Amino acid sequence: MKLNTNTCNVLVILDGVDQLEQLNAMAKETQWFGYGSRILITTQDQRLLSAHGISHIYKLNLPATDEALQIFCLYAFGQKFPHDGFKKLAMEFTQLAGELPLGLRVMGSYLRGMSLGEWEDALPRLRTSLDGEIGEIERTLRFSYDALSDKDKALFLHIACLFHGFRADHVKQWLANSGLDVNHGLEVLTRKSLITSNVGFSGMHSLLQQLGVDIVRKESIREPGKRQFLVDVDDIADVITDNAVGLNCLPRKLRLLHWDYCPLRVWPSTFSTKFLVELIMRGSKFEKLWEGIQSLKNLKRIDLSDARSMKDIPDLSNATNLESLLLSFCTSLLEIPSSVGNCTSLKTLDLSCTKITTNIQELNLSSTSIEEMPSSLRLWSCLYKLEMQRCRSLKVFPPVPEGIEELDLSDTLIEQVPPWIENLSQLRHLAMFRCWKLDNVSLSRISKMVGVSCMQITRGDKDTSRYVEVNIRWFSDFLNQWTLQTDMLQICLPETLSLYECPSLVSLPQPPDSLSSLDAENCVSLETIDGSFHNPDIRLNFLNCVKLNHEARELIQTSVCKHAILPAGEVSGHFIHRATGGSITIHLKERHLPMFLKFKACLLMIDDEGDVDEEDDDYDYDEEVIVYGDYDTYPHSDHYKKHDTMRLSCRVDGKQNGVTTRYGSSVHILPTPRAFTDHIYVFEAYFSLDECSNP
């Protein structure tokens, strides 16, 4: 059909369109209508508008609560507000109608003229049924339902009776392999405005939900057991009471069993788990579930939280797709089966507030999706081996028991090795290959783990195949001594490396050029340095490293560096200007002094107990204050508490043509060596001579 309206503008309203052919017949081309014409189309199927090329789409929202109450009152009382004494009931009926204008009109008209008592009597029945005198609501809503395919009708009833308000991804899991084409069906129902999707949750209007419940109820009004779904609590109780075997009446293809505080103590022998996706029975009275090995390939979630009588967990060997195992407050549970290691998809394991002292000795959770291990893992006193390699969601170092001997955490997202690792006195082997998120390895903590024979850590860039390996290994011939076998510094600690009090460290590898601070204080076993220092701004602290060999001491003294302190009894021959005491005079032959003077000095500090110089205890605050090492706060700050300090003042004076000029001064705050050890302090100074650059 084509309308010849080119000579005038018109208003066309196409209401309740549900077929694309209707739009093509009535308004296929805009040229059919005169300039300025308006075409309004209402539909429940958003796809029709897009398919027709309509871009100006307005989604009609339900009226606000106050406005909905006014609409209801207009039909119930002939005014926008309720009569005296009816306000509470009027609000309940408004809520029952779900603020849907159709429901508000039909219910308001139905109740008009009734007494308060009649309103109270009508409310319970209207909560459970849409037939009778308000059947117009059912007939109108059912029109959309009847237009659905059989599969989409079945999916609609599933959501109305069981899954209203549930997560859409859970619904897809529960109905997988059901033949309902769930993914497509959810799209159809959403497109036709029969369900809503909000932040991943599927829901529907309360009247549509009641429609679905009514359809199922009418399948067998007098015999609830013959219905597809049981929704009403009384109907469920009647069916179970009438059936002598209780749970044996459950269907063979049951996918979801959610029964909190189930009073039964014995699991039915005929129950089938083959299709079960979720088992949620919080607070149940069961002491144990099924016997033997069951088919559990579809099982995604087990929640038995607060099942305080539960003593045993069934064999989970076939639960390879299990993602969540929640057993919190199962206070009678003493152990979990070792078969949990077969649950390779496990993401969540909650054993909080349990008394589990499992006999499990080896636990393999490799390649699972678990994100964090429960704190109760510390209580597994028999566990000596834990494998969690390729657990790519694991971010936190697992709370292993102190008796753990072997621990493999390779290919995980663990960010830190915790300080309490030093308490793992029985640990022999730690593997953390390709832990690219690892930010900090506390070597001072690790070095106290004298029982470890092999520790292997690698870290690198996630987007490349480049990994730098830290292979920390104790050699059996030298008990309690270890060496950084390969260079981990380039990746792990690009700027600052603290090895403070690593008593077993015997050798250092080549440091990276980017390293600006190296603190090896109190590394009393350190002997060799396999490399050199190239960063002129680096600060080196080898305080109390009394076993450094001659080559290492010479290397430190002659390296380009900002500051260095190390134990030594003599100054390297690299320093040609020498003096004993508190000053040194150097004669410069140049007639014209340079604008700047830069020099490197080396001071030998000899321990002389009792010889304390109290002179000049306060210093000029105009002087440059150099705080040694990585202590970059002011020396009088409360933050500086690592150890006592000593102060070294350095002043440079020049004398030319009989005139003495102070060129500059600085104060160096240094850590104090242990008694009876001589130390050398090397530093670089830089002063401006601009004032006296001319004769």
Side-chain angles (χ1 to χ4, degrees):
M1 179 179 70
K2 181 177 180 181
L3 301 179
N4 186 11
T5 56
N6 290 329
T7 58
C8 61
N9 55 4
V10 296
L11 173 63
V12 178
I13 299 177
L14 304 178
D15 188 28
V17 176
D18 60 358
Q19 298 292 330
L20 185 61
E21 290 76 10
Q22 294 173 327
L23 285 178
N24 291 334
M26 299 297 296
K28 183 176 182 180
E29 302 289 344
T30 56
Q31 293 85 352
W32 291 0
F33 307 95
Y35 180 79
S37 296
R38 292 292 181 267
I39 307 169
L40 302 182
I41 302 167
T42 66
T43 181
Q44 289 182 273
D45 192 340
Q46 302 175 34
R47 182 185 61 86
L48 296 180
L49 302 178
S50 301
H52 197 63
I54 299 173
S55 57
H56 299 288
I57 300 175
Y58 176 76
K59 185 176 181 179
L60 185 64
N61 295 319
L62 296 177
T65 302
D66 292 342
E67 186 179 358
L69 179 62
Q70 293 178 14
I71 295 173
F72 173 80
C73 290
L74 282 174
Y75 290 100
F77 305 108
Q79 58 189 31
K80 291 186 177 181
F81 51 88
H83 291 165
D84 292 340
F86 283 82
K87 182 176 181 180
K88 182 178 179 181
L89 281 173
M91 293 181 67
E92 289 192 53
F93 278 106
T94 300
Q95 185 178 11
L96 183 62
E99 300 169 355
L100 186 70
L102 170 64
L104 296 170
R105 175 178 65 81
V106 174
M107 285 190 181
S109 300
Y110 170 70
L111 295 168
R112 188 164 186 169
M114 291 186 182
S115 66
L116 185 62
E118 290 174 315
W119 276 47
E120 293 173 344
D121 293 338
L123 185 58
R125 186 167 68 85
L126 294 181
R127 280 176 175 162
T128 58
S129 177
L130 295 179
D131 54 9
E133 295 190 35
I134 61 168
E136 183 183 351
I137 298 177
E138 180 180 10
R139 291 190 296 272
T140 303
L141 297 178
R142 180 144 188 165
F143 178 81
S144 298
Y145 168 80
D146 289 336
L148 296 173
S149 67
D150 290 341
K151 289 184 178 180
D152 294 339
K153 286 180 181 178
L155 182 58
F156 175 87
L157 296 180
H158 273 84
I159 297 175
C161 297
L162 299 178
F163 304 140
H164 169 64
F166 283 80
R167 287 179 50 172
D169 57 341
H170 284 185
V171 175
K172 293 175 182 179
Q173 289 177 357
W174 297 328
L175 299 180
N177 303 318
S178 63
L180 295 181
D181 297 333
V182 181
N183 290 339
H184 178 69
L186 290 175
E187 293 178 1
V188 170
L189 296 181
T190 302
R191 192 175 68 230
K192 291 183 175 294
S193 305
L194 292 174
I195 65 171
T196 58
S197 180
N198 185 19
V199 198
F201 289 81
S202 294
M204 61 174 52
H205 191 276
S206 58
L207 291 181
L208 286 169
Q209 185 183 13
Q210 186 59 54
L211 171 68
V213 172
D214 276 355
I215 292 173
V216 172
R217 181 178 60 85
K218 291 177 180 178
E219 292 175 353
S220 179
I221 296 178
R222 298 187 179 276
E223 296 186 49
K226 294 184 178 181
R227 298 174 192 166
Q228 183 179 2
F229 305 112
L230 290 177
V231 178
D232 185 75
V233 174
D234 293 332
D235 289 340
I236 295 173
D238 288 343
V239 170
I240 294 179
T241 302
D242 292 342
N243 194 312
V245 291
L247 282 180
N248 285 337
C249 67
L250 294 176
R252 183 179 64 86
K253 293 187 177 182
L254 186 67
R255 298 170 182 272
L256 170 64
L257 180 55
H258 187 162
W259 190 355
D260 290 343
Y261 304 103
C262 175
L264 302 179
R265 294 183 179 273
V266 181
W267 193 264
S269 59
T270 59
F271 180 72
S272 174
T273 60
K274 183 177 181 180
F275 296 92
L276 191 63
V277 177
E278 289 197 11
L279 176 65
I280 305 174
M281 303 188 77
R282 296 181 287 251
S284 68
K285 300 295 183 181
F286 285 112
E287 294 185 1
K288 64 185 304 182
L289 299 180
W290 53 83
E291 297 281 357
I293 301 177
Q294 298 286 336
S295 176
L296 303 171
K297 66 176 183 178
N298 293 308
L299 190 60
K300 298 280 188 179
R301 184 183 183 199
I302 296 178
D303 188 352
L304 299 173
S305 302
D306 204 31
R308 297 176 185 260
S309 299
M310 186 69 64
K311 295 180 180 179
D312 295 304
I313 297 299
D315 191 297
L316 299 174
S317 298
N318 291 329
T320 54
N321 292 309
L322 186 67
E323 297 178 354
S324 178
L325 178 59
L326 308 180
L327 302 171
S328 62
F329 291 96
C330 292
T331 52
S332 297
L333 192 62
L334 299 180
E335 64 179 5
I336 63 171
S338 58
S339 59
V340 72
N342 290 14
C343 304
T344 54
S345 299
L346 195 64
K347 295 181 180 179
T348 305
L349 175 62
D350 189 351
L351 300 173
S352 58
C353 300
T354 63
K355 300 177 182 178
I356 290 180
T357 54
T358 178
N359 293 323
I360 295 177
Q361 296 181 343
E362 299 185 19
L363 180 59
N364 189 342
L365 297 175
S366 302
S367 301
T368 65
S369 301
I370 196 164
E371 297 177 356
E372 185 174 351
M373 291 295 286
S375 59
S376 58
L377 185 66
R378 296 184 188 274
L379 304 177
W380 295 19
S381 57
C382 295
L383 183 67
Y384 78 88
K385 183 178 182 179
L386 175 62
E387 296 180 81
M388 299 190 71
Q389 61 266 35
R390 297 182 302 281
C391 292
R392 305 188 191 279
S393 298
L394 185 67
K395 298 180 181 179
V396 180
F397 199 96
V400 293
E402 292 187 4
I404 195 75
E405 296 181 15
E406 298 181 36
L407 188 57
D408 193 342
L409 304 173
S410 301
D411 294 293
T412 63
L413 296 182
I414 292 177
E415 298 177 356
Q416 289 187 338
V417 176
W420 51 260
I421 194 174
E422 67 183 66
N423 299 327
L424 305 181
S425 58
Q426 304 300 314
L427 188 63
R428 299 291 180 267
H429 179 227
L430 172 64
M432 296 184 70
F433 289 106
R434 295 172 296 277
C435 293
W436 65 273
K437 291 282 286 185
L438 194 63
D439 286 335
N440 183 30
V441 181
S442 179
L443 297 181
S444 62
R445 302 279 185 180
I446 292 175
S447 67
K448 297 177 182 179
M449 302 160 57
V450 296
V452 177
S453 60
C454 186
M455 184 177 299
Q456 297 165 304
I457 304 174
T458 64
R459 180 185 184 277
D461 192 336
K462 178 185 178 183
D463 299 324
T464 69
S465 58
R466 182 174 63 92
Y467 292 95
V468 175
E469 180 177 329
V470 183
N471 188 336
I472 306 172
R473 187 168 59 174
W474 281 253
F475 294 99
S476 58
D477 294 339
F478 302 97
L479 188 62
N480 299 341
Q481 293 186 347
W482 54 273
T483 303
L484 298 179
Q485 294 284 47
T486 54
D487 183 12
M488 60 91 177
L489 305 180
Q490 300 285 350
I491 292 295
C492 291
L493 298 164
E495 295 181 359
T496 300
L497 173 61
S498 176
L499 301 170
Y500 180 69
E501 287 192 349
C502 290
S504 301
L505 181 66
V506 295
S507 178
L508 279 179
Q510 170 67 50
D513 293 344
S514 60
L515 195 67
S516 61
S517 177
L518 172 59
D519 182 4
E521 182 174 333
N522 293 335
C523 292
V524 293
S525 299
L526 183 60
E527 298 178 5
T528 63
I529 300 175
D530 301 326
S532 58
F533 305 103
H534 302 123
N535 185 350
D537 294 322
I538 195 171
R539 301 183 179 200
L540 304 172
N541 182 5
F542 291 94
L543 194 76
N544 300 322
C545 296
V546 293
K547 288 192 177 181
L548 283 172
N549 61 21
H550 176 76
E551 291 77 11
R553 297 173 197 248
E554 187 73 13
L555 171 68
I556 298 170
Q557 292 187 54
T558 59
S559 294
V560 290
C561 63
K562 195 71 174 178
H563 310 281
I565 188 170
L566 70 152
E570 61 181 12
V571 176
S572 169
H574 177 75
F575 297 91
I576 57 176
H577 299 287
R578 295 173 178 245
T580 301
S583 66
I584 184 173
T585 300
I586 301 175
H587 297 280
L588 301 178
K589 298 180 180 180
E590 290 83 354
R591 177 179 176 83
H592 297 281
L593 292 178
M595 295 182 63
F596 299 97
L597 176 64
K598 183 178 181 180
F599 65 89
K600 184 177 181 180
C602 179
L603 302 180
L604 173 60
M605 300 175 289
I606 301 176
D607 178 73
D608 189 0
E609 189 175 4
D611 185 11
V612 180
D613 186 6
E614 300 290 347
E615 182 183 358
D616 196 22
D617 189 51
D618 295 323
Y619 49 84
D620 186 353
Y621 284 91
D622 291 334
E623 294 177 309
E624 178 188 8
V625 178
I626 300 175
V627 181
Y628 183 80
D630 57 354
Y631 317 115
D632 53 0
T633 55
Y634 193 71
H636 290 316
S637 171
D638 291 336
H639 296 290
Y640 192 81
K641 294 180 179 179
K642 182 178 178 182
H643 38 48
D644 295 332
T645 61
M646 59 181 178
R647 181 171 61 85
L648 172 68
S649 297
C650 176
R651 185 172 65 239
V652 177
D653 296 335
K655 187 174 183 180
Q656 188 176 23
N657 299 329
V659 179
T660 300
T661 304
R662 173 180 290 189
Y663 294 141
S665 62
S666 59
V667 175
H668 299 248
I669 307 298
L670 306 178
T672 303
R674 293 177 179 173
F676 312 115
T677 55
D678 297 339
H679 276 69
I680 279 179
Y681 176 54
V682 181
F683 66 96
E684 184 183 86
Y686 187 76
F687 296 106
S688 172
L689 305 180
D690 187 49
E691 297 177 0
C692 302
S693 59
N694 297 314

